[in-house]
Amino acid sequence: MPLSMLLMGAIAGDVIGSRFEFHPHRSTDFELFTSQCRFTDDTLLTIAVADTLLHNRSYVETIQQYGRRFPNAGFGGFFRRWLHSENPQPYSSYGNGSAMRVSPVGWVFNSVEDVLKEAERSAAITHNHPLGIQGAQAVALAIFLARTGSSKQHLKKEISQRFDYNLDQTLEEIRPHYAFDETCQGSVPQSIIAFLESNNLEDAIRKAVSLGGDADTQACIAGSIAEAFYGAVPETIQEETLHRLPPDFVAILEEFTARFGNT
């Protein structure tokens, strides 16, 4: 097993944030892992996207396969119907499901143009609303910029200008009035701000949870960017996370890291 596996920032964020999704916690002070922590649809769909890219599979077929295997992972109603459809069609969603699953794209592709194009492809099978596509592109591009050496200042400027996201707010300004929001436009910018204000990966995840919103997804997004920026996920966080994953998920992570870990 590699010492540090790619995509662990996203998955650790999901697992850590899972117990707060419907129990808002507006502080960075909490135990990282408890018996209530589990992987949710964020992890499941991230693995499905990684599998798709590794093996040149169909996004639709792969995501349906994974989703049908774990029907209680926490899917929304529209996505659940798509998952079980014999003729699945996009449903103009701008929910943050497109953004939570996109992190593998930011590691696989090596130009801004290719990252944006593939992020759109990964999103458009379900989230073909412009805001849904935008959310996926913003997260994938942030990961790409972070892993290729961009400063936080440059990343912030690129994302805010390209996607018209307000990244000038602080978490202290956002937190008092923030509520659970599953839309891309209402959760992705805040997740990026949690990363921008962080000092390390764990801090990014804690700050995302502290917003008191869609905690698992926002911690997944913040964690995915933080991993690309700060480097290897701390071993203790990786170990606690891996213990909560099925063996075949771990196998996909190992294969993904072996293929793309040096890009």
Side-chain angles (χ1 to χ4, degrees):
M1 181 185 298
L3 200 58
S4 180
M5 287 191 281
L6 296 186
L7 310 181
M8 289 303 302
I11 295 171
D14 173 44
V15 170
I16 292 167
S18 62
R19 67 190 177 103
F20 299 113
E21 182 176 14
F22 301 111
H23 302 88
H25 185 84
R26 297 184 184 273
S27 166
T28 57
D29 184 15
F30 56 86
E31 188 175 355
L32 274 185
F33 293 95
T34 73
S35 60
Q36 295 174 295
C37 293
R38 63 182 184 89
F39 76 85
T40 77
D41 53 343
D42 302 63
T43 291
L44 180 70
L45 299 180
T46 296
I47 295 291
V49 169
D51 192 345
T52 300
L53 295 174
L54 274 169
H55 302 119
N56 196 27
R57 302 182 66 189
S58 154
Y59 279 117
V60 171
E61 291 178 6
T62 310
I63 288 175
Q64 282 197 321
Q65 177 186 331
Y66 276 85
R68 291 176 180 181
R69 180 179 160 198
F70 294 94
N72 298 316
F75 306 121
F78 286 108
F79 183 82
R80 188 183 299 276
R81 286 192 285 277
W82 179 92
L83 203 59
H84 294 281
S85 172
E86 294 303 316
N87 182 30
Q89 299 296 319
Y91 46 92
S92 196
S93 175
Y94 47 83
N96 57 23
S98 60
M100 72 186 186
R101 69 192 187 214
V102 78
S103 59
V105 171
W107 288 98
V108 170
F109 294 88
N110 293 309
S111 72
V112 170
E113 294 75 17
D114 287 345
V115 167
L116 294 176
K117 181 179 178 181
E118 192 66 21
E120 179 174 0
R121 284 189 66 230
S122 75
I125 58 167
T126 51
H127 295 58
N128 59 330
H129 190 285
L131 294 176
I133 291 170
Q134 181 185 73
Q137 290 180 321
V139 174
L141 181 58
I143 291 168
F144 171 75
L145 293 173
R147 75 171 176 86
T148 53
S150 289
S151 66
K152 286 186 177 181
Q153 293 77 11
H154 177 68
L155 187 153
K156 177 182 176 181
K157 180 179 179 181
E158 281 291 308
I159 300 298
S160 60
Q161 289 184 351
R162 190 179 291 270
F163 302 106
D164 196 29
Y165 282 168
N166 178 10
L167 302 181
D168 288 327
Q169 291 179 291
T170 67
L171 295 180
E172 289 298 319
E173 292 169 337
I174 296 168
R175 192 179 291 111
H177 311 289
Y178 191 68
F180 189 94
D181 191 329
E182 290 184 312
T183 67
C184 277
Q185 62 271 29
S187 60
V188 171
Q190 295 81 359
S191 304
I192 295 172
I193 291 169
F195 155 70
L196 291 171
E197 290 192 15
S198 69
N199 300 311
N200 52 56
L201 181 135
E202 179 180 330
D203 189 43
I205 290 172
R206 288 184 179 277
K207 282 182 162 65
V209 168
S210 78
L211 286 167
D214 190 1
D216 57 335
T217 294
Q218 292 187 278
C220 172
I221 293 169
S224 70
I225 305 169
E227 175 189 4
F229 186 82
Y230 295 115
V233 173
E235 189 173 350
T236 54
I237 291 178
Q238 177 170 277
E239 287 180 354
E240 285 285 351
T241 302
L242 289 174
H243 289 160
R244 292 167 169 83
L245 302 183
D248 60 315
F249 284 23
V250 178
I252 291 291
L253 292 172
E254 290 176 335
E255 187 179 356
F256 191 88
T257 301
R259 178 89 64 87
F260 302 111
N262 295 316
T263 58

